[in-house]
Amino acid sequence: RSHPQVVRFRQQAAPRPPHRVSSPPPRARRSLPGMFVPVVTLGGAVVTTLDVTPSSKLEDFREQLCATVGPRLGNITGATDLRPRLFHCGGELLPGLPLISAGVIEGSPLTLVVTAASRVVSASKDGTARIWNPETGDCLHTLGTVGWEKRITVKDGALVASRETISAVFSPDGKFVLSASADCTAKIWNITSGELVQTLNGHRSRLSSAAFSPDGTLAVTSSVDLTTKIWSVESGEC
C-alpha cells in the first residue's frame, strides 16, 4: 500500500528594508566672536568704532566707515573720489585682507587717512601754486599771481625769483592749501574759490617748508632765518 507524497514548501522570509545610516543633524556654523576696533585720525582723535569680526575685510565695513567719515569731513568741492584709507602698524589695510591677517585685534586702533584722488597741488618758481585734476590734466585753480621779481642772493650771486613758491600742501580736511614762499611769507588759500584766506607774515628770510597740524587748526613754518613758527589758521596769529 503506497502512502501519499507530501510536498513541503519553504516559506520565504519577507525582504528586509535596506539599512539606512542616519546622518547627524548639521552643526550650526560657529560664528567668530565680534570685536570693537577704534578708528583714529593722525592726531589720535577717535572718529568711530567698528563692530567687526576677525574675518571682516575692508569691503565689509567700507559703507559703515564712509557714512561716519563723510559728514565729519564735509563736502570737498572738486573731489570725485573721496577715499578713506586705513593703516595698522605702518601698513595699509588692503581690500580682501581679513583683519586678523593684518594683526588687528580687539581694541587695536586703525589710523584713518582720507585722500581725494582727483586733485594734486604743485608749487612753482613763478610764484604760484596750482591745483590739478590728475585724470584730465586740467588746472582747477591757480593760487596767486605769476611774478618774476629778481634779486641777487648773498650766497653765490645767482638770480632767483623772490616770490618763488617753495611748497604747497592740502589741509587735513581738504578745504585749504598752505603754501610757503621765498618772499618770507606763508599763505592759506581756499581751494573752492581760489581766494587768499590768510597771509602768515613774520619770518625775516625765505621759507623752507610749511605744514598743517593733524587737526588742521594750526600751521607750522620753517625758514632760512633759523626759526620755526606756529600759527593759528583761523586768526593768522603766531
Side-chain angles (χ1 to χ4, degrees):
R1 185 179 178 181
S2 62
H3 297 279
Q5 187 176 2
V6 178
V7 179
R8 296 182 179 181
F9 295 92
R10 180 179 295 180
Q11 185 177 4
Q12 296 182 352
R16 296 182 179 181
H19 179 66
R20 296 180 181 180
V21 179
S22 59
S23 57
R27 295 182 180 181
R29 180 176 294 180
R30 183 180 180 184
S31 59
L32 293 174
M35 61 181 185
F36 294 99
V37 177
V39 177
V40 301
T41 64
L42 289 173
V46 177
V47 176
T48 186
T49 299
L50 300 173
D51 185 3
V52 293
T53 67
S55 62
S56 295
K57 303 173 184 178
L58 179 61
E59 50 268 33
D60 296 333
F61 53 84
R62 185 189 296 273
E63 292 185 3
Q64 176 188 350
L65 184 62
C66 290
T68 304
V69 172
R72 287 199 171 212
L73 293 179
N75 179 36
I76 299 182
T77 303
T80 58
D81 183 17
L82 186 63
R83 295 187 302 163
R85 302 166 62 188
L86 294 175
F87 292 80
H88 178 67
C89 294
E92 183 172 4
L93 185 64
L94 300 176
L97 181 67
L99 292 176
I100 192 172
S101 299
V104 180
I105 60 175
E106 173 85 23
S108 59
L110 298 175
T111 302
L112 173 68
V113 176
V114 178
T115 58
S118 61
R119 297 170 305 162
V120 295
V121 62
S122 63
S124 171
K125 287 187 176 182
D126 67 4
T128 67
R130 297 176 189 265
I131 300 175
W132 306 83
N133 184 326
E135 298 176 358
T136 63
D138 294 335
C139 179
L140 304 177
H141 283 295
T142 298
L143 309 177
T145 56
V146 177
W148 290 94
E149 300 176 9
K150 307 283 186 175
R151 66 180 174 86
I152 302 296
T153 62
V154 177
K155 182 178 180 181
D156 53 12
L159 290 174
V160 298
S162 64
R163 296 181 66 247
E164 172 187 357
T165 302
I166 307 298
S167 67
V169 295
F170 285 112
S171 62
D173 62 4
K175 296 180 180 180
F176 302 97
V177 162
L178 173 64
S179 62
S181 302
D183 64 0
C184 309
T185 69
K187 297 178 177 64
I188 300 175
W189 308 85
N190 184 311
I191 70 167
T192 302
S193 62
E195 296 180 352
L196 178 63
V197 178
Q198 296 285 359
T199 298
L200 311 179
N201 193 352
H203 285 288
R204 293 179 295 173
S205 186
R206 60 185 284 134
L207 272 63
S208 55
S209 65
F212 283 101
S213 63
D215 61 4
T217 61
L218 300 174
V220 60
T221 56
S222 62
S223 170
V224 179
D225 65 12
L226 304 181
T227 65
T228 298
K229 297 181 182 292
I230 299 176
W231 310 79
S232 167
V233 170
E234 183 176 359
S235 66
E237 296 179 354
C238 179

